[in-house]
Amino acid sequence: MEVERMKTLVGSMDGMGPSEALRAVAELQKEVQRAESSLVRSARQAGLSWEAIALCLGVSKQAVHRKYGKK
């Protein structure tokens, strides 16, 4: 997980213009998605149910299973 990369992106946005900040936000979203995917995979390997993962993410069981279930 690239926590340091996310911190750098967030920290650097203060001095950016609008277009640069938007690019940084897009990159941050990609990093967050990668982290979420990795954590869901780890949670499943640790034995967490789709329902438990969905509860943690604040989505429905069906949504989390649809997004990550076939991977």
Side-chain angles (χ1 to χ4, degrees):
M1 186 169 18
E2 295 289 332
V3 174
E4 290 304 316
R5 173 81 174 129
M6 287 187 247
K7 287 179 183 179
T8 300
L9 285 167
V10 170
S12 68
M13 287 175 22
D14 285 339
M16 294 181 178
S19 61
E20 291 171 306
L22 286 169
R23 281 191 283 276
V25 166
E27 186 62 29
L28 184 58
Q29 288 173 328
K30 289 176 192 173
E31 291 294 330
V32 168
Q33 184 56 47
R34 284 186 206 110
E36 181 180 292
S37 180
S38 176
L39 290 168
V40 167
R41 198 170 32 254
S42 294
R44 287 295 292 162
Q45 290 172 349
L48 268 70
S49 68
W50 289 115
E51 187 173 8
I53 294 168
L55 184 62
C56 292
L57 293 174
V59 298
S60 71
K61 180 176 97 171
Q62 292 80 6
V64 77
H65 190 265
R66 189 177 323 117
K67 189 171 184 178
Y68 298 107
K70 305 285 189 227
K71 296 180 180 182

